[in-house]
Amino acid sequence: MENEETKTVPKSWAMVGGDGPRSYAQNSSYQRGGLVIVNELMNEGIKDKLEFISPCSDSSNICTFRIADFGCSVGPNTFLAMEKIIEAVEQKYHAQFQNSPVPLEFQVFFNDVTTNDFNTLFKTLPFYQKYFAAGVPGTFYGRLFPKSTLHLAYSSYSLQWLSKVPEEVVDTKSPAWNKGSIQCSGTAKEVAKAYSAQFKTDMDNFLNARAQEIIGGGLMVIIILGLPDGILLSQTVAGKSYELFGSCLIDMAKLGVISEEKVDSFNLPLYYSSAKELEEIIKNNGHFCIERMNMLNNPMMKRKLDVQFVISQFRAIFQGLLEEHFGRDDVDKIFEYFAKKFAENYDSVFNGATPQHVDHFVLLKRNIN
């Protein structure tokens, strides 16, 4: 059930697989830290907003509670998230039906793009888990499940990734051509407009697909990178890091190491939205009610990060994208140069006065039509 948007996803748009020193599994502590701070919010949301109509019985099919993680990557963060969600759902069920003789059973679907390393994901699946596990490959910007089959959907640090780079920003004849930059910094209005429009399209596609799949009254938890209201990405530590990375590519093109044409056509398919923008998109979509929306500061941002840590995080996330665009042979050179330049500019990036991006926590409830 692909639509036009889903067909444009790059083939290798996945985090670095395996469990080696460069893998996403070993370099996703930021994402794990975010899960820790939203755990209490998830627990409260499930306790207050999840509703069971009746207890399980041997003759009904409501005993299977279905959860899907959209953008699971290779773990282990997804396993921790599913464990915490199931604990909260069980507590809610037992509080509502204290004498129910039939326990809930859980089925968890792990979704990510087709190039995700599902082999590592399932090899590292906890030996003991309270659920039946299944993998669902495919883009979450389209339908992945039959109608009204999910009770709870979860997506963590995935929806800031666009389905594609807006076409205008790589069109040399467009006023939105993003010459000299690889990101939506926020300073060029036409570029920001193009990125914002693509984000809105993608979020609408995501919400429309999930509205078909989640039962009426079902919940959805979203954790997504974003910006404080009134702050541009270029003003943040993340934006300055992307700018520095882009300058490395420009330097290497001038040195003849990589193609200038390829640098000019490379843009990060990332968009950091404000809470106001995200709220407006969800409300205009109309399928979900916003039960809770919080702007959080990830604990990782309070730490002094060393250069190697930052480079390892960058590589685990962006290596596949760079290989797709520049070719595998140039990726090592790119990250070697970036490590050197990042060390030289460390103090200017991690300036104590520089604003930080934020994590948006959103709890949605599917409207009952």
Side-chain angles (χ1 to χ4, degrees), residues 36-87:
V36 171
I37 61 171
V38 305
N39 185 47
E40 186 176 345
L41 296 175
M42 285 200 306
N43 285 343
E44 292 176 357
I46 290 171
K47 177 183 177 182
D48 296 339
K49 302 301 179 181
L50 183 63
E51 299 175 4
F52 292 99
I53 299 174
S54 60
C56 287
S57 67
D58 291 325
S59 61
S60 74
N61 63 356
I62 63 170
C63 293
T64 303
F65 191 95
R66 298 179 182 89
I67 306 167
D69 182 355
F70 294 94
C72 63
S73 193
V74 294
N77 296 334
T78 184
F79 303 139
L80 178 61
M82 296 305 102
E83 177 187 329
K84 297 301 182 183
I85 288 171
I86 288 172
E87 286 178 2

Side-chain angles (χ1 to χ4, degrees), residues 3 5 141 200-210:
N3 54 32
E5 285 77 14
Y141 288 124
K200 181 183 183 304
T201 296
D202 288 342
M203 279 299 300
D204 269 335
N205 286 336
F206 179 83
L207 293 170
N208 289 336
R210 303 296 81 79

Side-chain angles (χ1 to χ4, degrees), residues 261-297:
E261 182 182 356
K262 285 188 176 181
V263 172
D264 286 343
S265 62
F266 180 75
N267 285 265
L268 295 175
L270 280 172
Y271 185 74
Y272 288 60
S273 65
S274 68
K276 181 180 179 181
E277 183 177 16
L278 186 58
E279 181 180 9
E280 185 177 311
I281 291 171
I282 295 169
K283 286 183 174 179
N284 288 341
N285 178 267
H287 290 304
F288 294 89
C289 175
I290 301 175
E291 298 290 351
R292 187 157 192 170
M293 194 166 185
N294 298 79
M295 197 160 54
L296 307 171
N297 295 310

Side-chain angles (χ1 to χ4, degrees), residues 102-155:
V102 181
L104 278 176
E105 290 189 326
F106 293 90
Q107 186 170 21
V108 173
F109 300 97
F110 296 99
N111 159 255
D112 214 308
V113 292
T114 55
T115 49
N116 184 58
D117 186 2
F118 284 100
N119 285 334
T120 293
L121 178 74
F122 286 106
K123 278 196 298 184
T124 54
L125 191 71
F127 178 74
Y128 174 77
Q129 74 273 348
K130 295 181 177 180
Y131 53 84
F132 298 94
V136 182
T139 173
F140 49 56
Y141 288 124
R143 283 281 302 279
L144 292 163
F145 297 95
K147 288 185 178 181
S148 301
T149 52
L150 299 178
H151 298 88
L152 193 149
Y154 173 85
S155 183

